[in-house]
Amino acid sequence: MASILDEYEDSLSRSASLQQSRASVGIPHSGYVNARLEKETPIFNKQRIDFTPPEKINSLVVSCNQLCMSLGRDTLFRIDLGKADEPNQVELGRKDEARVYKMFLDHTGSHLVIALNTSECLYLNRSAQKVRTLSRWKGHLIESVGWNKFLGSETNTGPILVGTAQGQIYEAEISVSEGSLFSTNLDQYFRLVYTLEEEAGPTPVCCLEIERGLDGKCFIIATTRKRLFQFVGKVPEGAEQQGFGFVFGMHADHLPSFREFPASFGYSEIAFYTPKLRSSPRSFAWMMGNGVLYGTLDYGRPDSILSDERVWEYPSDVDVAANKPISIVLTQFHFLLLLPDRVKAVCTLNGQVVFQDLFLEKFGSLKCMIKDPTVGQIWIYTEKVVFRYHVQRESRDVWKMYMNINKFDLAKEYCKDRPECLDIVLAREAEHSFQNKRYLDSAKCYALTQNYFEEIALKFIEAKQEEALMEFLLKKLASLKSSEKTQTTLLTTWLTELYLNRLGALEGNTSKRNLFEATREKFCSFLSSPRNKECLFNNRASIYELLASHGDTEHMVYFSVIMQDYERVVAHHCQHDDYDEALNILTRHRDEKLFYKFSPVLIQHIPKKVVDAWISMGTKLDARKLIPALVNYSQSGSTQQISEAIRYMEFCVCELEETEQAIHNYLLSLYALCRPDSLLSYLKQAGANPNRIHYDLKYALRLCAEHGHHRACVHVYKVMELYEEAVDLALQVDVDLAKSCADLPEEDEELRKKLWLKIARHVVQEEKDVKKAMACLSSCNLLKIEDVLPFFPDFVTIDHFKEAICNSLEDYNRHIEELKREMEEATQSAKRIREDIQEMRNKYGSVEPQEKCAACDFPLLNRPFYLFLCGHMFHYDCLFQAVFPNLPAYKQAKLEDLQKKLGATSQPSKAHHRPKDTDATSMGKGQQSREQIKADIDDIVAAECVYCGELMIRSIDKPFIDPQKYEEERQSWL
């Protein structure tokens, strides 16, 4: 058989040229059509809020769908965005020139801290309508607030951190309760915990963030204009309410870890991204003079939670000196920079600007950008207008960026619901692995793409990567549909060829023994795979040819077992003289056809085991089809071999109760050949009824005669009812055997007598034993002395049978006396019968005048009638009508004939001219004939009572209504 691999390589070369022609006319490599039916909405969709503020907007904060904005000098505007049509306005109640400097709203939207430019602070609770002063905070210009997300509630902030413009960090707590409604001290305490400094001295605390890590660790991030500080400490269990003094106390003698950059705007801002369903941020972006420091937060690290940091420089069109970034917001894959007249979105994966939105001059310069950490909406405001951005499907193009930086797992994760994009990523990953000589990984990815099969296969063939090619084919085979039978057949056959080539190359190399074993195991798994079973079964002839061409008998046997081609497996074992294994397979799978085919071979070598297997199969095997194997086997004449044949035949006859004549005849032949004692026992066990005997009597007779088994022949003669032949043969063996045969024809006394005479003649003439002859007379009551006398010679004296003669005469006398007694008994019986007849003639019955006919219920004496001994009485005509339909046809005909004759005798004679004596004579003869006819009619009609006799019993299964008249009867009832 020509190598399929070589043929397929030729086909791949032709396919490659076809692929080039396809590419020249613009046929895409991918199986997907990349088309967009409508314009895709942008990731960041801007919406102008339909709100015209009565005064200039000073500050705006949003959290948990709660929006607070400061208008003018003394007005605070609050909106629950879930109920946007119910705004709430609160007056600050300030009479001086103080203005709002900054506002800080906690993550629940319940606590609002208002920092004034006069170094004062106000507080407004979500449920309150009046602004209250934080007296302990007075004298500090507040730059930032770090809210406690773990202990805060709607009425209590828990311990929080407050950063000032002088670089001081204070710990404070604000509590609103029923008891504190009339109290002037909302702030429970306000104490200094740390002071941040830069090279030039104290510097404003731009941002504060409090996070909790593993094992009770607390992480505090604080930023200044050029530095980013981290405070890490473990809060003792149960001491959470005591604040953060323990964390800052750990850094009293030395500076905490920090990151510093040389350039400065005079301010900085840090933003965090918190995924949905999580309470802790996952990434951060710090906007400072040199660019944006972006990284992830790893809470498992011991000293710093900042991880994977990198600095993204500002876009080239951003003039940091003239148009400094104002604010920053971080989303899952982008950070947005707010410039005085525009917004730019930069991808955190590659630093590229993916979105830019320019604002018109009529709206004024942009002041700040805020993100609602709970909802994810982004808010931008000027002094006149408020805008809102909705983030829609932010991850739509992330796969491209991950793919471009060779993060293929993440790329596949973000396009798993877009098969056309996933195909591109897989193709890029496969090509990347191929170029880096990771051929197996490349094959796995290529198998999942829609790229041309021929192109990929040729790449691996040209690179001489057979193992990778096999991996590709296996994966491709697994992805095929059940309807793609041609492709499945091609790949299955090709893989078989590749496996066999690889096994052949590895088999002789002892240094690669482990690889050989692993490859063989993979090949066996491939052959036994349920997915490939149908294809392998339909093409098993080709697979057998491949295995045979490689001389791989081991896998040929394995494949045959998988395909349940046990005939080939058994034949293989027989050819290699492994008869025990061949029989084991036959016994395990219990296929009777295979038993019939291979039994002649197996029984020649392991007869006892084969017979045991036959017996274990029981009725599943037809013993007739095994007879040829037994005949060939037993012809060798060995006693052991014949014994095994007899053992199975006895099992069939005794256990399975086989009735097939061939089986019984063969068992007879074995018995006659080897076990004559068992032969006679078998014949006797079979019985003497020819209809219930399953062997051929003539064959048995001939067989026994050939081997000189006379007693068996006598038995067969008896079964065939050939008693004369049986007696003749028995006399050659044993007189007693002949006597037993002579008594068999019990109903034929003449034959029995004849048989006994044969025995007597043999005894007298052959054995010349007078006493034994006399014993024959006593054994058979049919023989008399006079029957035996002719056989004796003339010189025999009467003394030898005097006693027999006397006994015979006595028997005759007894017989005469018995005849006399029987004659006397007959005479007495005749006398009694005559007396009974006379008595019956005089017997009568009485009928009352009111008696009625049992059939018509009319008076009985009106017409001729019959009276039965049972008491039933019938009119003649009623009885005739009841009896006639139930009589046999011949009696009905006879009755009609008698009625005609009776009618003829009742007509008056028309010959009035005859003499009177002639008429009288004729009358007498006619009257006598009429009486006889009536008597004959009575014998038929009145033989028995119609209600009490056999007539009623015979009619018990007859329907009440004649089926032919049923319809007529039914209509009469309607």
Side-chain angles (χ1 to χ4, degrees):
M1 177 179 177
S3 173
I4 294 178
L5 180 60
D6 295 338
E7 295 178 3
Y8 198 71
E9 286 177 355
D10 295 338
S11 66
L12 289 180
S13 300
R14 294 192 296 270
S15 299
S17 60
L18 177 60
Q19 179 184 344
Q20 293 175 358
S21 62
R22 287 175 177 170
S24 63
V25 295
I27 296 178
H29 287 262
S30 173
Y32 301 103
V33 178
N34 188 11
R36 297 185 180 181
L37 300 180
E38 58 184 21
K39 187 177 180 180
E40 194 171 32
T41 57
I43 296 176
F44 303 100
N45 189 18
K46 183 174 70 176
Q47 176 188 6
R48 179 180 175 181
I49 304 302
D50 187 12
F51 170 73
T52 303
E55 298 181 72
K56 293 182 179 180
I57 301 174
N58 297 322
S59 181
L60 183 147
V61 289
V62 182
S63 182
C64 199
N65 238 12
Q66 301 295 317
L67 184 145
C68 301
M69 67 175 71
S70 170
L71 303 176
R73 184 178 60 82
D74 199 44
T75 304
L76 192 66
F77 209 72
R78 296 189 300 179
I79 302 175
D80 184 347
L81 296 176
K83 303 174 184 177
D85 55 344
E86 300 177 8
N88 177 253
Q89 184 173 331
V90 178
E91 299 296 332
L92 298 181
R94 303 288 297 188
K95 303 298 183 183
D96 54 12
E97 297 298 324
R99 291 181 175 277
V100 174
Y101 176 62
K102 284 186 178 181
M103 294 195 303
F104 309 96
L105 186 62
D106 80 320
H107 62 286
T108 65
S110 301
H111 308 283
L112 176 64
V113 173
I114 306 166
L116 303 179
N117 58 358
T118 57
S119 300
E120 296 180 85
C121 287
L122 305 177
Y123 171 78
L124 180 62
N125 191 271
R126 180 177 179 179
S127 59
Q129 293 293 323
K130 184 177 180 182
V131 176
R132 302 177 66 182
T133 304
L134 298 173
S135 58
R136 289 190 173 91
W137 298 37
K138 188 174 182 180
H140 301 284
L141 183 62
I142 306 303
E143 289 286 347
S144 59
V145 174
W147 298 101
N148 195 328
K149 295 180 286 186
F150 310 102
L151 297 177
S153 65
E154 292 184 359
T155 59
N156 189 289
T157 62
I160 61 176
L161 296 175
V162 179
T164 67
Q166 290 76 31
Q168 299 164 331
I169 299 177
Y170 287 86
E171 182 182 320
E173 184 176 357
I174 302 173
S175 178
V176 180
S177 61
E178 294 179 359
S180 65
L181 184 61
F182 301 100
S183 174
T184 58
N185 293 326
L186 293 171
D187 42 349
Q188 301 295 310
Y189 59 88
F190 191 79
R191 57 174 176 259
L192 179 67
V193 292
Y194 203 84
T195 301
L196 297 180
E197 295 183 354
E198 291 182 353
E199 294 176 355
T203 181
V205 181
C206 300
C207 297
L208 283 170
E209 181 73 15
I210 304 170
E211 295 298 336
R212 181 179 296 175
L214 303 176
D215 300 328
K217 280 189 177 181
C218 181
F219 296 91
I220 298 173
I221 297 176
T223 64
T224 61
R225 296 168 182 169
K226 298 191 295 181
R227 292 183 178 181
L228 186 151
F229 293 89
Q230 293 185 73
F231 297 88
V232 182
K234 188 173 182 179
V235 179
E237 188 175 355
E240 289 84 357
Q241 293 288 349
Q242 297 178 9
F244 305 100
F246 179 79
V247 177
F248 288 102
M250 297 177 63
H251 303 279
D253 300 333
H254 62 277
L255 285 175
S257 63
F258 65 88
R259 295 292 306 274
E260 183 176 12
F261 293 90
S264 172
F265 294 143
Y267 58 89
S268 71
E269 184 175 345
I270 192 169
F272 296 90
Y273 167 70
T274 304
K276 292 182 180 179
L277 306 178
R278 288 186 59 178
S279 60
S280 300
R282 192 178 70 182
S283 56
F284 74 95
W286 181 37
M287 182 187 74
M288 40 79 183
N290 290 85
V292 175
L293 176 66
Y294 173 80
T296 58
L297 300 178
D298 185 356
Y299 297 94
R301 299 180 67 181
D303 300 326
S304 172
I305 61 173
L306 305 183
S307 177
D308 298 332
E309 304 169 52
R310 67 178 303 174
V311 177
W312 292 112
E313 296 181 357
Y314 294 114
S316 57
D317 59 342
V318 175
D319 186 358
V320 178
N323 295 318
K324 299 178 183 178
I326 302 171
S327 296
I328 186 171
V329 164
L330 182 62
T331 62
Q332 185 177 4
F333 297 106
H334 303 85
F335 60 82
L336 281 74
L337 293 174
L338 180 69
L339 302 172
D341 61 346
R342 71 193 63 192
V343 173
K344 287 181 177 288
V346 179
C347 180
T348 57
L349 300 177
N350 55 14
Q352 300 295 318
V353 176
V354 297
F355 173 79
Q356 178 172 285
D357 193 7
L358 186 66
F359 289 79
L360 300 178
E361 293 182 2
K362 66 178 182 178
F363 298 136
S365 63
L366 303 178
K367 298 195 68 176
C368 191
M369 177 171 58
I370 311 98
K371 178 186 175 184
D372 187 338
T374 305
V375 181
Q377 294 176 345
I378 299 170
W379 298 80
I380 297 176
Y381 67 93
T382 67
E383 292 181 348
K384 303 176 183 179
V385 185
V386 178
F387 298 93
R388 178 172 58 187
Y389 282 94
H390 293 276
V391 182
Q392 297 179 338
R393 295 178 57 232
E394 184 183 3
S395 62
R396 69 183 70 172
D397 294 325
V398 170
W399 64 271
K400 292 182 182 178
M401 302 169 191
Y402 278 128
M403 181 183 69
N404 292 332
I405 61 176
N406 297 331
K407 292 186 177 181
F408 299 108
D409 290 337
L410 291 172
K412 288 183 283 189
E413 179 68 23
Y414 285 101
C415 64
K416 59 185 177 182
D417 56 344
R418 299 169 66 183
E420 70 281 0
C421 301
L422 181 61
D423 186 69
I424 297 173
V425 174
L426 288 170
R428 178 72 68 85
E429 182 182 8
E431 185 63 30
H432 179 266
S433 298
F434 191 90
Q435 291 176 357
N436 288 276
K437 297 185 179 182
R438 291 187 285 111
Y439 297 108
L440 284 178
D441 294 337
S442 176
K444 293 175 183 178
C445 294
Y446 268 133
L448 300 176
T449 67
Q450 298 295 318
N451 288 22
Y452 288 123
F453 174 84
E454 300 90 338
E455 176 188 358
I456 300 168
L458 278 173
K459 287 186 70 169
F460 290 117
I461 291 173
E462 291 171 357
K464 297 182 180 181
Q465 294 298 319
E466 188 174 290
E467 186 177 359
L469 176 62
M470 290 171 63
E471 184 68 26
F472 169 68
L473 296 179
L474 284 169
K475 296 293 183 182
K476 205 66 179 177
L477 178 63
S479 65
L480 291 178
K481 299 177 182 177
S482 57
S483 58
E484 297 174 318
K485 297 186 180 299
T486 303
Q487 294 89 329
T488 303
T489 301
L490 173 65
L491 293 182
T492 303
T493 310
W494 193 5
L495 278 166
T496 304
E497 174 77 9
L498 291 174
Y499 270 121
L500 291 173
N501 288 339
R502 186 165 179 78
L503 287 171
L506 295 173
E507 187 173 8
N509 194 340
T510 56
S511 61
K512 297 183 178 180
R513 188 65 186 175
N514 293 335
L515 181 58
F516 172 77
E517 294 293 338
T519 306
R520 184 169 63 176
E521 184 176 348
K522 289 180 181 179
F523 184 39
C524 292
S525 300
F526 170 75
L527 293 177
S528 60
S529 171
R531 180 180 179 84
N532 305 331
K533 185 173 183 180
E534 181 182 357
C535 178
L536 289 171
F537 181 79
N538 294 333
N539 300 278
R540 59 187 182 279
S542 300
I543 304 298
Y544 280 133
E545 289 182 10
L546 282 174
L547 293 167
S549 65
H550 285 264
D552 195 343
T553 56
E554 178 184 354
H555 288 104
M556 181 182 292
V557 172
Y558 180 79
F559 180 68
S560 301
V561 172
I562 294 172
M563 294 294 104
Q564 298 183 354
D565 188 1
Y566 301 115
E567 179 178 352
R568 188 182 295 269
V569 179
V570 175
H572 170 79
H573 288 305
C574 289
Q575 289 172 3
H576 291 79
D577 297 336
D578 192 358
Y579 303 106
D580 288 330
E581 184 61 27
L583 183 61
N584 289 337
I585 293 173
L586 290 178
T587 306
R588 191 181 310 123
H589 299 287
R590 303 175 69 84
D591 188 341
E592 57 272 16
K593 294 181 180 179
L594 296 182
F595 267 102
Y596 300 145
K597 181 171 183 178
F598 292 100
S599 289
V601 177
L602 295 175
I603 200 170
Q604 298 292 334
H605 300 88
I606 47 174
K608 186 178 184 305
K609 293 182 180 180
V610 171
V611 172
D612 290 339
W614 289 351
I615 292 175
S616 67
M617 289 288 289
T619 55
K620 287 195 68 176
L621 290 180
D622 186 353
R624 293 178 304 170
K625 297 181 180 180
L626 295 174
I627 289 177
L630 289 171
V631 170
N632 293 334
Y633 170 64
S634 60
Q635 281 179 351
S636 61
S638 171
T639 304
Q640 180 184 359
Q641 294 170 340
I642 296 177
S643 297
E644 294 299 330
I646 292 176
R647 183 161 70 96
Y648 182 66
M649 289 293 103
E650 286 178 341
F651 169 77
C652 294
V653 171
C654 300
E655 301 294 333
L656 302 183
E657 298 180 354
E658 282 284 353
T659 59
E660 286 293 333
Q661 191 178 80
I663 296 173
H664 287 263
N665 288 345
Y666 182 58
L667 180 58
L668 270 175
S669 67
L670 294 175
Y671 279 149
L673 181 65
C674 193
R675 295 184 186 176
D677 296 337
S678 300
L679 171 63
L680 188 57
S681 300
Y682 167 77
L683 293 174
K684 290 180 178 179
Q685 187 179 0
N689 187 347
N691 297 325
R692 296 184 179 180
I693 288 176
H694 305 301
Y695 57 86
D696 187 347
L697 289 169
K698 294 181 180 180
Y699 174 75
L701 183 62
R702 180 172 60 83
L703 197 65
C704 295
E706 286 179 359
H707 291 84
H709 303 312
H710 296 305
R711 288 184 179 273
C713 287
V714 171
H715 181 82
V716 176
Y717 277 133
K718 289 192 296 184
V719 176
M720 297 173 70
E721 298 182 355
L722 300 176
Y723 301 114
E724 292 189 43
E725 290 81 353
V727 170
D728 291 339
L729 185 58
L731 288 174
Q732 299 178 19
V733 180
D734 186 9
V735 174
D736 292 334
L737 180 59
K739 289 179 180 180
S740 65
C741 296
D743 284 332
L744 290 177
E746 297 177 355
E747 297 179 358
D748 192 347
E749 292 186 354
E750 183 179 353
L751 176 60
R752 192 148 59 94
K753 183 177 180 180
K754 182 179 179 182
L755 297 177
W756 275 104
L757 286 173
K758 282 179 176 287
I759 296 172
R761 177 183 295 173
H762 175 79
V763 172
V764 174
Q765 295 180 353
E766 300 295 332
E767 298 186 5
K768 302 185 186 302
D769 192 340
V770 178
K771 291 183 179 181
K772 189 178 287 187
M774 292 302 103
C776 290
L777 293 179
S778 62
S779 298
C780 179
N781 56 1
L782 298 178
L783 290 182
K784 305 299 179 184
I785 187 63
E786 59 268 27
D787 298 326
V788 181
L789 286 175
F791 302 145
F792 288 96
D794 295 338
F795 57 84
V796 177
T797 61
I798 197 171
D799 293 338
H800 291 91
F801 39 85
K802 177 181 178 180
E803 184 180 353
I805 293 174
C806 293
N807 292 336
S808 178
L809 292 174
E810 289 176 2
D811 289 341
Y812 280 127
N813 288 333
R814 283 194 298 271
H815 185 58
I816 291 170
E817 291 298 327
E818 288 178 2
L819 289 177
K820 286 180 180 181
R821 188 168 55 255
E822 289 177 2
M823 290 175 64
E824 289 176 0
E825 290 176 358
T827 302
Q828 292 296 327
S829 178
K831 183 179 178 181
R832 285 194 297 272
I833 291 173
R834 285 194 295 270
E835 291 174 355
D836 289 342
I837 291 173
Q838 187 63 33
E839 185 181 353
M840 289 297 294
R841 287 177 179 173
N842 297 329
K843 197 170 184 179
Y844 65 91
S846 61
V847 179
E848 299 295 332
Q850 67 273 12
E851 293 289 349
K852 296 182 179 181
C853 175
C856 66
D857 206 30
F858 282 98
L860 185 67
L861 300 177
N862 290 350
R863 301 196 299 275
F865 65 89
Y866 289 99
L867 172 63
F868 292 95
L869 293 177
C870 61
H872 289 114
M873 294 169 263
F874 300 91
H875 289 129
Y876 166 77
D877 54 344
C878 293
L879 183 62
F880 184 88
Q881 292 176 0
V883 172
F884 185 80
N886 297 291
L887 290 174
Y890 74 93
K891 284 191 176 183
Q892 290 180 357
K894 183 177 181 181
L895 191 58
E896 289 177 351
D897 184 54
L898 291 172
Q899 282 186 318
K900 289 180 182 178
K901 289 181 180 180
L902 182 64
T905 57
S906 63
Q907 294 179 1
S909 176
K910 297 181 181 179
H912 297 287
H913 62 278
R914 293 180 181 176
K916 291 184 179 180
D917 55 348
T918 306
D919 292 341
T921 305
S922 300
M923 287 289 288
K925 293 180 180 179
Q927 187 68 24
Q928 184 179 7
S929 177
R930 179 180 175 82
E931 291 297 330
Q932 183 62 40
I933 293 171
K934 290 177 68 178
D936 293 341
I937 292 175
D938 289 343
D939 290 341
I940 297 175
V941 176
E944 60 182 0
C945 175
V946 72
Y947 287 171
C948 302
E950 292 185 5
L951 182 63
M952 181 59 66
I953 296 173
R954 289 196 303 270
S955 65
I956 193 170
D957 59 342
K958 293 184 178 179
F960 291 107
I961 301 174
D962 188 352
Q964 297 179 354
K965 298 181 180 180
Y966 174 78
E967 189 63 28
E968 180 183 349
E969 184 70 21
R970 190 180 69 83
Q971 292 294 335
S972 67
W973 283 78
L974 298 178

